Amino acid sequence: MSDASSATERVWLIGMMGSGKSTVGRMLAEMTGRPFTDTDRLIEQERGATVAELFERDGEPAFRSYEKAAIEKVAATPGPWVVSVGGGAPLGEDNRVSMSSSGVVVWLRASAPTLVARLGRGEGRPVLARGAEEGLRARVDRLLAEREPVYSSLAAIVVDVDHCGSGQVARAVMRRLADW
């Protein structure tokens, strides 16, 4: 993985909530000596509220505009980065363009059973709050059906995270990036 290559200037981690993007991102940053950022944390710092509070206070369309601005900001910041984005970020066409044009996109793919096991009751996850009456598994299945085709079309690299610890996933990403 050459830092001089524009294709790997940024490593964008995408995937469902619970797939391990933030944890793996921090590990990957440490392994590569790159700075790490999580766009959800950037938004929280800039807006002075949690993602859940922003969804509640400002609504999802406003949150998606904050997310777009955060992704554009990171994409325009010089230097190599490891970046974790929210699970819904790739649904925005502008976000997909910003990510794919400024780095390599890595999908941390997790199955529904893995996500359900990791998400507990889904508390603090505003997108999971919608449709609470249908149960967590049904909500995860619905989101996967909506998002997986987008993730698949955007990702240059796919790493399956089921039955893997964060360190294993980070090492798998490193191996795949070395071949990139």
Side-chain angles (χ1 to χ4, degrees):
M1 182 170 65
S2 167
D3 285 339
S5 169
S6 63
T8 56
E9 201 51 28
R10 274 159 217 81
V11 177
W12 296 92
L13 299 176
I14 66 169
M16 286 285 291
M17 61 197 91
S19 64
K21 298 179 303 280
S22 296
T23 301
V24 170
R26 282 189 289 278
M27 290 178 166
L28 192 59
E30 189 174 310
M31 295 164 78
T32 62
R34 294 170 179 231
F36 169 74
T37 194
D38 178 317
T39 58
D40 282 349
R41 300 302 78 79
L42 282 177
I43 295 164
E44 289 176 341
Q45 290 168 0
E46 290 177 359
R47 298 286 166 179
T50 67
V51 169
E53 291 166 344
L54 292 168
F55 262 76
E56 178 69 27
R57 183 184 77 199
D58 302 343
E60 185 173 0
F63 177 79
R64 297 299 175 198
S65 72
Y66 308 151
E67 189 171 59
K68 178 179 178 266
I71 289 170
E72 287 174 349
K73 181 178 179 179
V74 174
T77 302
W81 287 87
V82 175
V83 187
S84 170
V85 300
L91 299 178
E93 184 177 350
D94 291 340
N95 296 340
R96 292 192 301 272
V97 170
S98 291
M99 289 186 282
S100 63
S101 66
S102 67
V104 61
V105 179
V106 178
W107 174 19
L108 301 185
R109 183 169 55 190
S111 67
T114 294
L115 294 169
V116 169
R118 291 180 179 184
L119 292 169
R121 293 189 309 220
E123 294 171 347
R125 311 276 186 163
V127 173
L128 287 178
R130 290 190 299 242
E133 66 284 347
E134 68 183 332
L136 182 62
R137 175 61 190 259
R139 288 176 285 169
V140 167
D141 286 341
R142 181 174 34 81
L143 287 170
L144 280 171
E146 173 189 1
R147 294 177 177 184
E148 281 189 332
V150 175
Y151 295 162
S152 179
S153 68
L154 178 60
I157 296 172
V158 179
V159 175
D160 289 308
V161 304
D162 291 348
H163 313 294
C164 295
S166 301
Q168 291 173 295
V169 174
R171 287 187 296 279
V173 171
M174 283 292 293
R175 284 191 301 274
R176 298 293 306 277
L177 287 170
D179 295 337
W180 185 249

